Amino acid sequence: FNYVRAISFVGMNVEQGLRHFLTCSGFRLPGEAQKIDRIISTFSQCYWEDNAGDHLRCPFHDQDTVFLISFAIIMLNTDLHKNKSVSGAPSTSSRKQRKRMTKTEFMNNLRGVDNSEDLSRDYLSEIYDSIEAQPIALFQDHDDMCSSVVSGSTSVRSSKYSVSHSKPRVSLADERNEQDLASLLKSLIRNVKPAQELLRGLAVHDHPFLSVSDYKEDHGGQMLKDLVRAAFSVTWHHFHGTINATLDTAHLDPDGLVLCLDVLRYALSLAICLDMSIERSAFVTQLARIKLFEENRGMNEDIRNARQIRPAAFRAHHDNQAFKNDSWFKHLEDSCSEPSNQRGKLSALDQVKQMLEELHSSFEMNQEMKQDMKRVTSCIRNGEIFLNDPARFFIREGDLIKRSNHVGRSTNYRFFLFSDMLVYAHKSSSRGDYKIHGELPLHLMKVVDDNGSVGKKQMKSFFIHHPHKSFLLSAAGPEMKKSWINDITLAINNELGRKARVEGARLASMSVDR
C-alpha cells in the first residue's frame, strides 16, 4: 500500500488511473487471481482517496465500485485484445472470427454496480471507446531489455579481442569474468527498472518547489509556515494510516497505541495551526476512536488506588459520528471555526494537549496493572494463559475457607479476583506454586451475604452462587468479608457493563453496515 500510495491519481477517471497504474508505475500484473485481487484492491483504495468527491471523474458512491469497475476494465481489455501480441500486431489465430464484447453488453454487465444504482452511460461509453482504441499493455517482459543490453556488452568485448593481435584467444578466466559481468548487468537492470517506472508515474503531476528568494522580507514566519504545510500535506496520510492500523489491533497490542498518542497529538496540532480542515477532521475522528476504546476498557484511577472498579457509564454509539455531540468536540470545532482567531487556536491546542495527557496517564496506569498481572500469574501453575486476554487485569488475592455444599468439608484456598473471573487454587507442597482448582466467570456470578443465622461464623461468611458451582466462603473477619463482597460485586457490575458495551458496539456496527 505504501508503494502505491506514493503514486497520485488526482484528476484521472478510473480507466486513466488504472492504465497509468498498470503501465507506468512499476507493476507487472501477475496471472494469479489472488494477487490480482490484492493489487486492484490497493489501487481502488488509493484512487478513491485521491478522487472521492470529484463527481465528474469519480461518480461513485464508495470504494467497492472502483474495485468492480477496475476488474471490468481488465476483463474488457482482455476480451477485446486477447488475440493480439504484446506489440499490438494481430496473431495468426486472429483470422478466426470471434464475437467480442459489445459496448451495450459492457454497459448491461455493470447495471446496479454502484450501490444498486446505474452509472452514467456516457461515462461507461468513454471507457469502452478508450480501451477499444488503445489496449492496456498488461504484460511487459524485462528480460528482453536485459538480454539485449547483455548481448551488446558481450559483442563489444568480443570485438575488442578480435581486433587485438596480441591476444588471439580469450582465456577461461576472461570468459568467466564476462559471464559475471553479464549477470551483474542483468541484475542491475531488473532492480532499476521498477524504480524508473515509479518515478515516471510520479512525474505525471507537478510538484511545487519553494524558493527562499520568494521570502526576502519574511517577518511573520510565512516561509516556515509554507514549508511545513507543503511537507505535511503530502505526508499526513502516512501518519493517519499508521494510527488507524494501530487502532484496529489495539485490543491485542495496547502498547502500540501508546506510541501513537504523541504522533496523533503533533499531527492534530499541526492541522489546527495550519487551518487544514480536512486533515483536522480526520485526526479528530481518530482521537474520538481512542477515547471510545479507553472508555470501553472500563479502567480508571480507582483501580490503581483502591483496587476497586467503578461501573462505567454505558454509551450507546449507534453510528460512528455520535462523538460530534460531545462537549469536547463542539468546543474544538468552535475554537477552529475562524482561521484568524489565534486565541481560539491556542485554546484548541491546550484542549488537545490535556486530552492526550489524560489518555497517556490512563495507559500508564494500564502498564502498572500489566506488571501486577505478570507477577500474579507467575505464582500460578500455567498462569500465562490468563495473559492471553489484554483486557483482563488483576484486582486482589487472599486466603478464604471454602465449604462445599455436598460434602460439607472445609478447605483453605487462595482466591485470585480478576476483572472477568474468580480463580481459586491450593498451594503445591512440592513446587511451591498454586495449582488451579476452579475458575468462575463473573458475568454469571452472584454474591450473597450470609445473614440467615446469627453466630460468629455467619458474621465472617458469604455465599457464591454460580451455574457451575455454588459454595460458602469464610473470611478472617467481618471487615475482610465486607471488602471481598464489595470488590466481587463491583467487578461483576463492571464485567456486565463491559459485555453490554461490546454487544451494543456490535449491533451498532451491524446497523451501519446495512
Side-chain angles (χ1 to χ4, degrees), residues 357-465:
E357 286 179 349
E358 291 176 355
L359 289 172
H360 256 299
S361 301
S362 178
F363 279 107
E364 287 175 0
M365 177 185 64
N366 297 343
Q367 294 298 323
E368 295 180 8
M369 299 169 64
K370 183 178 294 186
Q371 295 298 326
D372 288 344
M373 279 288 296
K374 291 181 179 180
R375 176 186 60 80
V376 172
T377 55
S378 63
C379 302
I380 303 175
R381 187 177 301 179
N382 299 325
E384 60 273 6
I385 61 174
F386 295 112
L387 299 175
N388 293 337
D389 187 356
R392 179 181 294 126
F393 54 92
F394 171 72
I395 300 176
R396 66 175 297 175
E397 63 177 310
D399 292 329
L400 296 172
I401 298 176
K402 173 180 172 291
R403 184 177 178 85
S404 176
N405 292 336
H406 299 288
V407 183
R409 183 178 59 186
S410 298
T411 309
N412 188 27
Y413 285 105
R414 187 73 170 180
F415 280 78
F416 301 90
L417 178 60
F418 295 96
S419 59
D420 60 341
M421 67 173 56
L422 180 66
V423 178
Y424 56 98
H426 65 271
K427 192 168 186 178
S428 173
S429 58
S430 59
R431 300 175 58 174
D433 57 355
Y434 289 96
K435 185 178 180 180
I436 297 176
H437 188 76
E439 303 175 16
L440 300 176
L442 294 182
H443 67 282
L444 300 174
M445 184 181 297
K446 183 179 180 181
V447 184
V448 179
D449 196 355
D450 184 16
N451 293 325
S453 57
V454 180
K456 292 184 178 180
K457 290 185 178 180
Q458 283 69 25
M459 293 177 62
K460 301 185 295 184
S461 304
F462 59 97
F463 287 100
I464 295 291
H465 295 288

Side-chain angles (χ1 to χ4, degrees), residues 141-276:
D141 196 355
H142 301 315
D143 294 337
D144 297 338
M145 183 184 68
C146 297
S147 59
S148 62
V149 175
V150 172
S151 61
S153 174
T154 306
S155 62
V156 171
R157 285 191 168 272
S158 61
S159 63
K160 171 183 175 182
Y161 287 112
S162 63
V163 173
S164 176
H165 297 285
S166 59
K167 295 183 180 179
R169 282 186 71 182
V170 180
S171 64
L172 182 60
D174 292 333
E175 291 180 357
R176 291 178 178 176
N177 291 335
E178 289 181 4
Q179 293 176 357
D180 294 339
L181 178 61
S183 177
L184 177 62
L185 286 174
K186 192 173 183 179
S187 176
L188 288 174
I189 292 174
R190 283 183 173 176
N191 291 334
V192 172
K193 181 69 175 177
Q196 290 178 334
E197 293 179 349
L198 177 60
L199 291 175
R200 191 182 304 116
L202 295 174
V204 174
H205 301 275
D206 295 332
H207 297 275
F209 291 91
L210 299 177
S211 175
V212 180
S213 59
D214 298 334
Y215 301 92
K216 294 181 179 179
E217 298 181 358
D218 184 21
H219 302 293
Q222 186 64 32
M223 180 180 69
L224 179 60
K225 186 176 181 179
D226 290 345
L227 288 174
V228 175
R229 181 191 297 273
F232 188 64
S233 61
V234 297
T235 58
W236 73 271
H237 60 273
H238 293 295
F239 305 130
H240 187 269
T242 300
I243 299 172
N244 261 347
T246 309
L247 269 170
D248 292 339
T249 59
H251 61 290
L252 300 176
D253 182 22
D255 295 341
L257 188 58
V258 176
L259 299 177
C260 285
L261 291 180
D262 289 334
V263 178
L264 177 60
R265 173 185 172 183
Y266 294 125
L268 180 54
S269 299
L270 266 178
I272 293 173
C273 293
L274 298 175
D275 299 319
M276 303 174 72

Side-chain angles (χ1 to χ4, degrees), residues 33-157:
Q34 187 176 7
K35 293 183 179 179
I36 294 177
D37 183 272
R38 292 179 60 185
I39 291 176
I40 299 303
S41 178
T42 305
F43 162 75
S44 303
Q45 180 180 354
C46 296
Y47 179 84
W48 178 256
E49 291 177 358
D50 286 348
N51 294 280
D54 187 350
H55 299 290
L56 178 64
R57 298 178 178 85
C58 183
F60 313 126
H61 285 85
D62 51 38
Q63 176 183 327
D64 294 338
T65 307
V66 181
F67 179 82
L68 296 174
I69 294 295
S70 301
F71 254 108
I73 292 174
I74 294 176
M75 295 174 63
L76 175 66
N77 183 80
T78 304
D79 184 80
L80 295 181
H81 306 285
K82 66 180 179 181
N83 285 333
K84 292 186 179 181
S85 62
V86 176
S87 60
S91 63
T92 56
S93 61
S94 63
R95 299 174 183 176
K96 299 180 181 180
Q97 296 295 328
R98 181 182 60 84
K99 183 181 178 181
R100 301 187 305 172
M101 184 186 299
T102 63
K103 183 183 296 186
T104 303
E105 293 174 341
F106 176 69
M107 295 180 180
N108 291 337
N109 290 338
L110 295 176
R111 283 184 177 177
V113 72
D114 188 21
N115 199 14
S116 301
E117 296 183 7
D118 294 340
L119 293 172
S120 170
R121 299 184 68 87
D122 294 337
Y123 188 85
L124 297 178
S125 176
E126 182 181 353
I127 292 177
Y128 184 92
D129 294 338
S130 177
I131 296 296
E132 185 180 29
Q134 184 179 1
I136 300 177
L138 298 178
F139 303 100
Q140 293 182 352
D141 196 355
H142 301 315
D143 294 337
D144 297 338
M145 183 184 68
C146 297
S147 59
S148 62
V149 175
V150 172
S151 61
S153 174
T154 306
S155 62
V156 171
R157 285 191 168 272

Side-chain angles (χ1 to χ4, degrees), residues 2 4 20 39 114 191 331 380 479 481 490:
N2 293 332
V4 180
H20 174 66
I39 291 176
D114 188 21
N191 291 334
H331 178 266
I380 303 175
E479 293 298 326
K481 179 192 77 170
L490 289 173

